[in-house]
Amino acid sequence: MSECFLRLERVSKRFEPRLSLGDRIAARLGATVETRSVHAVDEVSLAVARGETLGLVGESGCGKSTLGRIAAGIIAPSQGEVTLDGEPVMSEGRKRSTRIQMVFQDPFASLDPRMRVGEIIAEGPLYHGLVPAVGARSYVARWMERVGLHAEQAERFPHQFSGGQRQRIAVARALAMQPDVLVCDEPVASLDVSIQAQIINLFLELRRDLAITCIFISHDLSVVRHLADRIAVMYLGRIVEIGPRDVLYEQPEHPYARALLDSVPRLVTRTGTRVEFRTIAGEIPSPLEPPAGCRFNPRCPFASADCRIRPPGLMARHVGGGEVACYHPLGEDGQPLRECVG
Amino acid sequence: MSGFMEQLRAFWVEFRESGIAVAALFVIALILVLALLAPVIAPQDPYDLTGLSLRDARRPPGHVGSAGYMHLLGTDAQGRDLFSAILYGLRISIQMGLAAGLAALLLGASVGLAAAYFGGRFETFAMRIVDLQLSFPAILLALILVALLGQGKAQLIAALVAAQYAYFARTAYGAAKAERRKDYIEAAVATPLSDKRILFRHLLPNCMPPLIVVATVQIANSIALEATLSFLGLGLPVTEPSLGMLISNGFQYMMSGRYWISVYPGVALIILIVAINLVGDQIRDQFNPRLRR
């Protein structure tokens, strides 16, 4: 990474169960009370360059949304820090920076139902003095047209729009804050496929025109492939592999990343033969009791004794750049490059 | 605010479909007008003790008294014209109910919203007190407070608020807890906006529907509670009789055939409370998404 614009420095997020008075008394009296915490994100470090789009992929519950919210300053990390251009995004438990904004998954929940679209878009910029009150109307109109809406729709309420239009409103609200970084948490997951394409095209356009830095979170690998320059694969709160898009898609070295890419239903393989798609054996373990060592080891066909004891750190990939957290990275044939021991 | 007017109009269109609710609303409006215009309509000022004559005491409905006009609903033990006393009594009941209901709404909603939004120790502390209060009868608390604070309008309102804010706090807390998790609040945090702005511009407006429903019911409850306290002799001074005190004063004559002194103020109280509750029910049904067509 030549230039690190947005940096996540060993951030962790634990969700502690909040014990009620009754629970605390019960625990004192010897009853079994759930006191384990959920490690949603575990010591993740990430660096995103200016103008780059980083795709963050993983199964449901792997912590990618939590990581996105930490990056956007909505959740304070339990440990670690997020900095943008060297400045912390949060201080004293509050978000201070306006330079990083977020687009949410569900456009039916992310817009205040009691505000007009114009008010929704103008609220942040007016509050932070990015635009004078007299210029707010034309400012809103400009952003609405920029995302493909009509300026005269500013007087309407969110419920008068379709899902795709609402997502455009949400994008306009984020962009009206003139951010340097946009965190998009599954912004197309709840939309119809035809609408998804429109919104993806909008993102491509905006990225080209505004040179915006973006973290794009998705479980849809084809969407991410369209948009991202680099991909990070998450599993149970950790990043297991990160690298340039094409390299990672062509030759994933982490067994989980490989399994994830192989589980995408395809009619033909890269070599042209028909295959049934493979699923990953087993269930994702409970984040209350993550397995020791490498968190993928219970489901990994190549796991060795090492994998069960000591978690592997991120190491340079063998080909094409990027990093992988695995003792037995895979080669092109899908078999470990090194002999498995144990 | 043409959007608000639009919503109000849509609300009214749906409200109009319920004949009973419209009738109840009409009754409330009528009572409000009567209460407001009491000094004009009432033949007698029941607070003016010099205008009362004991010669006219306990006369049945339709009796023409010494002042030369007919006592439509009879007179009480002090010779007050009951029709006038009821109009003035309604005035006091509505005053007390509205003042206490709205003050309880303000206090309760603030406590509930703040507890849900800020969480932590304040949430635990505030909501435990609210739970504690909800677990024993409101009337008991009101009785104790009136006994401690003494008689008077302000003291009575304070007692009513203390007895009722907990309902608003619970409702506001529940609604805010549900809204707090929604993405539009996270979006406001991400902007970032101040806590004050998120609380008042985003959280509060979205918690209003259940609060409005509880408010209508609680205004009726305040009126009933005030009447109960007055009936027990702990309400307002005897010189300014509210409905509850009129009922109480006439109670001793019930068995001697002079039913009107108690019954007519009671009927007025019942009509007022039932009408408010009917309107409240309709508003609740309209805000309930499960009953939406």
Side-chain angles (χ1 to χ4, degrees), chain B residues 18-258:
Chain B
S18 164
I20 294 176
V22 173
L25 193 66
F26 178 74
V27 169
I28 294 175
L30 187 72
I31 292 177
L32 280 177
V33 170
L34 284 176
L36 270 175
L37 298 180
V40 183
I41 302 168
Q44 181 195 63
D45 179 2
Y47 299 160
D48 179 13
L49 297 177
T50 57
L52 305 180
S53 166
L54 279 178
R55 271 189 301 158
D56 295 326
R58 299 191 290 275
R59 296 298 186 191
H63 173 81
V64 179
S66 54
Y69 57 86
M70 189 201 273
H71 297 294
L72 267 177
L73 301 177
T75 60
D76 75 353
Q78 274 79 42
R80 283 196 194 96
D81 174 46
L82 263 178
F83 178 65
S84 311
I86 288 172
L87 288 184
Y88 277 84
L90 279 171
R91 216 170 136 103
I92 295 180
S93 291
I94 291 167
Q95 258 178 29
M96 292 289 119
L98 279 180
L102 294 180
L105 169 70
L106 212 65
L107 178 67
S110 310
V111 170
L113 282 181
Y117 184 74
F118 293 110
R121 280 179 196 285
F122 176 71
E123 177 182 6
T124 316
F125 180 71
M127 294 325 287
R128 281 306 147 270
I129 290 183
V130 165
D131 285 343
L132 191 73
Q133 238 183 284
L134 287 174
S135 65
F136 70 86
I139 177 103
L140 198 61
L141 187 77
L143 272 174
I144 296 168
L145 274 173
V146 170
L148 284 175
L149 297 173
Q151 288 189 327
K153 278 188 181 174
Q155 287 92 327
L156 191 61
I157 290 174
L160 293 175
V161 169
Q164 299 204 298
Y165 87 96
Y167 295 94
F168 291 101
R170 253 286 144 216
T171 309
Y173 176 75
K177 205 72 179 159
E179 293 296 322
R180 173 93 180 79
R181 304 169 67 99
K182 291 192 181 162
D183 284 348
Y184 70 88
I185 299 290
E186 289 207 328
V189 174
T191 301
L193 303 174
S194 65
D195 288 336
K196 193 176 126 200
R197 195 174 175 91
I198 295 172
L199 266 172
F200 290 109
R201 287 301 303 273
H202 295 277
L203 208 49
L204 181 62
N206 284 290
C207 293
M208 273 325 273
L211 282 174
I212 291 170
V213 173
V214 174
T216 50
V217 176
Q218 288 301 322
I219 285 171
N221 280 353
S222 292
I223 292 172
L225 196 56
E226 184 273 328
T228 312
L229 290 172
S230 295
F231 182 81
L232 295 173
L234 284 163
L236 297 173
V238 200
T239 46
E240 289 182 31
S242 70
L243 291 176
M245 194 176 294
L246 289 174
I247 298 170
S248 168
N249 288 345
F251 201 59
Q252 49 190 312
Y253 302 106
M254 274 296 269
M255 292 303 140
S256 58
R258 297 188 177 91

Side-chain angles (χ1 to χ4, degrees), chain A residues 69 95 101 112 116 123 128, chain B residues 3 186 190-192 197 202:
Chain A
R69 279 169 165 74
K95 184 179 181 183
Q101 294 293 326
D112 188 336
R116 285 164 199 288
E123 187 181 26
H128 287 282
Chain B
E186 289 207 328
T191 301
R197 195 174 175 91
H202 295 277

